Amino acid sequence: MNRSVCFTGHRTIAEDKEKLSARLYTLLERLMIEKKVTDFYTGGAVGWDALAALTVLKLRESYPEVKLHLVLPCPFVEQSAKWNGAQKAEYQHILGLADSVEQVSDRYYNGCMKARNARLVELASDYCICYWNPKDFRSGTGQTVRMAQKKGIEIINMLDMS
C-alpha cells in the first residue's frame, strides 16, 4: 500500500502564501524521499486545500510518482456556489490536473463536509498535514485533526511552523 497524507486547514491564510507553499514543498519532498509518501488527499476547498493541492502539483513536476487525489464533499458546482471567479478558476485548474476525484455525496447537505473530512482521514495512512489554529477547536479543521489523532496518524501543523 502506498503511504499517504491528508490535508486539512482553514480557508483563510494569514501569512505569505508563497513562503508557506515553499515550506510545505520542502516538507512534502522530505516525506516523499525519506518516507516514500506518494499519495496526497485534499478536500477541495479554498485556502489551505487549494494551496496544498497546488504545492503537490508542483512537487509532481519533479517526482512523477506523486499523486494528487481530491475528495469533494458534493458536486463542485454546489461546493463553489459562494466562491468568487478567481477561486473557481483556481479549482477548475486543480480539478483538471488531479490524478483522481471522488465525491462523497451527489448533493450538498448539512454534514457533507464532515463526511468528506472523515473520508480524507480514512484515506490517509501516515500523516495529516494541517494549517490549524488550535484555539479554533470547533472548526471543521479541528474536527478533522481530532479524527486523525484518534486514528493514530501523525499530525503536522504548518501553522506551528510559521
Side-chain angles (χ1 to χ4, degrees), residues 1-6 35-37 123-128 151-155:
M1 180 174 169
N2 293 347
R3 302 200 70 176
S4 58
V5 165
C6 70
K35 305 292 185 181
K36 308 299 183 217
V37 174
L123 292 166
S125 62
D126 300 279
Y127 301 94
C128 175
K151 183 178 175 182
I153 63 178
E154 185 176 339
I155 309 299

Side-chain angles (χ1 to χ4, degrees), residues 17 40 51 56 68 74 83 85-86 96 103 130 134 147-148 160:
K17 290 179 184 172
F40 298 89
L51 185 141
V56 170
L68 174 65
C74 58
W83 297 359
Q103 241 177 242
C130 61
M147 284 188 242
D160 289 343

Side-chain angles (χ1 to χ4, degrees), residues 33 82 117 142 148 150 155 161:
I33 292 168
K82 296 179 181 175
N117 295 344
K150 186 174 181 181
I155 309 299
M161 305 166 97

Side-chain angles (χ1 to χ4, degrees), residues 70-128:
L70 299 182
V71 179
L72 306 180
C74 58
F76 180 75
V77 171
E78 292 182 54
Q79 182 183 7
S80 65
K82 296 179 181 175
W83 297 359
N84 66 38
Q87 292 166 329
K88 288 179 182 181
E90 180 176 66
Y91 242 98
Q92 288 293 343
H93 171 74
I94 293 166
L95 280 166
L97 294 173
D99 293 289
S100 73
V101 179
E102 174 183 329
Q103 241 177 242
V104 173
S105 175
D106 61 359
R107 62 177 178 76
Y108 178 86
Y109 67 93
N110 190 12
C112 69
M113 300 297 180
K114 182 178 180 179
R116 182 264 327 263
N117 295 344
R119 181 68 176 147
L120 284 168
V121 171
E122 178 185 338
L123 292 166
S125 62
D126 300 279
Y127 301 94
C128 175

